[in-house]
Amino acid sequence: MSAKNLDLGNFAQDVLLGLSAEPKSLPSKYFYDAKGDKLFQQIMDMPEYYLTRKEFEILENQHAKILANILDFNRPFNLVELGAGDGLKTKILLRYLVEKGVSFEYFPIDFSGSVLVELKESLRQEMPDLKVSAIEDTYRGSLLKRQWANGNPTLILFLGGNIGNFPLEEAHDVLDHLRLGTERGDEVLLGFDLKKNPQTILDAYHDHAGITKEFNINLLRRMNRELGANFDLDQFMHWPSYNPVDGECRSHLVSMKAQNVFIESLNQSFKFDAFEPIFTEISKKYSISEIKKLAKRSGFKIKEAFADSEDYFADVLWERK
Ligand code: AVI
């Protein structure tokens, strides 16, 4: 039986597409199974991975200013978060709003159900009166459905530099969905990792402890477990690179020898040449002028940009025109 005749799930289909392509690739959204979620938590604690700490600094030091810029605190509003994760940074904003007695409902959206269960439980313990409606969906799916739409103004958080995980054309498509998912006057707070010393960027994706390598290799482990693949994990090397011209940091898994890998659920073998790469992830870094162009083409105007003390990262406030 060929893969064409099999009833494949999304993961299997995407793997088939990616490994049949030239050059080979795998979508980075599949990094995040339960083990991948844990590895990403560990990455955020790595000394080289500055992104989370820098955005934390911005929100910790400037949250009152950021929120004062956005909200009429006397009107109830929706706080929607795309890719909520563990909510550690968002809790800075949530705590502040709860303390001020502002009326709002929080809609965390994540592709990972297990992440949402943990987030809801920790919010229930820390802020029992907070109204939380978790939505398990993709960014684009949730923006099309707009389950939060109730006539109140909406602030969408898209933090963490997650927009950088889309190649530019796809980022445009996500931002077009952001436009569709908002109304005139709604606001979006977007986190962008900024262009900086290329070595600093490369180090963030090549930590000494090897956690980012494990995070990439886990994708092969996931295919072995869920799709019955027989990847030999020791025969692939994690190889990140950064191009300061386009600001793209790209991760690859490189086959260390010529080898064939069989994937049971696809009933197919895939041939790898020695040193053939599989592209796994893009993490694009932006300049402020690129961010301005992006906002303009997507139908938003920039209200203000909030950066950390070293200008490594920026949370930029966009208003829907
Ligand atoms: C989730 N995202 C913003 C991370 C990033 O920096 O691109 C994912 C990641 N990949 C490797 N390390 C972290």
Side-chain angles (χ1 to χ4, degrees):
M1 192 166 44
S2 78
K4 265 191 246 151
N5 303 323
L6 294 169
D7 184 14
L8 300 173
N10 289 342
F11 183 31
Q13 264 176 36
D14 288 345
V15 167
L16 175 62
L17 259 173
L19 293 187
S20 310
E22 191 68 53
K24 290 183 173 62
S25 66
L26 289 168
S28 61
K29 65 178 177 188
Y30 294 113
F31 280 155
Y32 302 92
D33 62 355
K35 174 145 175 124
D37 288 340
K38 292 269 163 332
L39 286 166
F40 183 55
Q41 300 281 337
Q42 282 176 260
I43 287 176
M44 291 193 284
D45 286 336
M46 288 298 104
E48 296 93 339
Y49 194 76
Y50 57 83
L51 286 80
T52 314
R53 275 189 304 281
K54 291 298 182 185
E55 191 172 43
F56 198 87
E57 178 196 317
I58 296 170
L59 295 175
E60 186 89 326
N61 294 343
Q62 304 185 64
H63 60 268
K65 205 169 136 204
I66 296 172
L67 289 171
N69 227 305
I70 303 173
L71 298 165
D72 170 2
F73 286 126
N74 299 315
R75 259 188 86 183
F77 74 100
N78 304 315
L79 183 62
V80 174
E81 180 163 26
L82 301 175
D86 64 4
L88 208 66
K89 288 169 290 182
T90 314
K91 281 181 186 166
I92 300 170
L93 305 179
L94 295 175
R95 259 182 238 116
Y96 177 76
L97 292 167
V98 168
E99 272 163 28
K100 277 189 92 81
V102 176
S103 163
F104 72 105
E105 184 166 353
Y106 176 48
F107 296 86
I109 296 160
D110 209 287
F111 187 54
S112 163
S114 63
V115 156
L116 288 174
V117 170
E118 277 182 37
L119 175 61
K120 266 203 317 201
E121 180 50 27
S122 79
L123 287 172
R124 198 184 57 77
Q125 287 184 17
E126 272 186 58
M127 293 169 242
D129 295 332
L130 181 65
K131 273 202 256 167
V132 183
S133 299
I135 301 172
E136 188 177 338
D137 206 339
T138 58
Y139 301 143
R140 284 172 270 198
S142 62
L143 287 164
L144 290 176
K145 292 177 205 126
R146 297 184 73 220
Q147 278 164 260
W148 54 86
N150 53 9
N152 291 335
T154 298
L155 164 62
I156 298 187
L157 304 174
F158 194 12
L159 304 176
N162 293 344
I163 187 69
N165 294 132
F166 295 98
L168 198 58
E169 266 185 28
E170 227 189 314
H172 287 166
D173 187 56
V174 172
L175 296 174
D176 289 343
H177 280 74
L178 203 55
R179 183 174 167 79
L180 285 173
T182 46
E183 284 174 18
R184 200 184 161 87
D186 283 346
E187 315 231 17
V188 186
L189 188 66
L190 278 133
F192 290 94
D193 193 17
L194 300 176
K195 286 180 172 163
K196 62 183 67 60
N197 183 330
Q199 192 63 56
T200 307
I201 292 173
L202 193 57
D203 290 349
Y205 295 87
H206 214 182
D207 60 279
H208 275 88
I211 308 295
T212 311
K213 172 189 166 202
E214 263 309 299
F215 184 59
N216 277 263
I217 293 282
N218 185 51
L219 197 48
L220 305 184
R221 190 180 285 115
R222 183 173 182 182
M223 287 190 278
N224 284 354
R225 195 182 56 246
E226 293 184 24
L227 306 179
N230 66 352
F231 280 97
D232 180 347
L233 307 187
D234 294 331
Q235 293 302 330
F236 285 85
M237 182 187 190
H238 166 235
W239 189 261
S241 61
Y242 176 65
N243 178 350
V245 179
D246 56 20
E248 291 184 358
C249 185
R250 287 176 168 260
S251 288
H252 292 90
L253 285 165
V254 178
S255 173
M256 296 311 286
K257 61 175 190 186
Q259 52 185 324
N260 287 303
V261 173
F262 182 69
I263 304 186
E264 214 173 272
S265 30
L266 300 176
N267 194 29
Q268 193 170 318
S269 273
F270 296 88
K271 180 177 161 293
F272 290 84
D273 293 332
F275 310 116
E276 182 177 353
I278 313 173
F279 166 56
T280 54
E281 185 183 46
I282 182 171
S283 295
K284 176 162 163 54
K285 312 306 169 193
Y286 284 89
S287 65
I288 292 290
S289 66
E290 282 174 304
I291 297 170
K292 281 186 186 154
K293 268 193 222 149
L294 213 54
K296 196 167 172 208
R297 78 151 289 286
S298 312
F300 290 83
K301 75 168 184 240
I302 294 190
K303 280 182 83 173
E304 200 171 344
F306 304 89
D308 64 274
S309 54
E310 288 183 291
D311 283 335
Y312 272 24
F313 198 94
D315 281 327
V316 187
L317 191 57
W318 291 12
E319 185 187 316
R320 165 78 143 73
K321 286 198 276 193

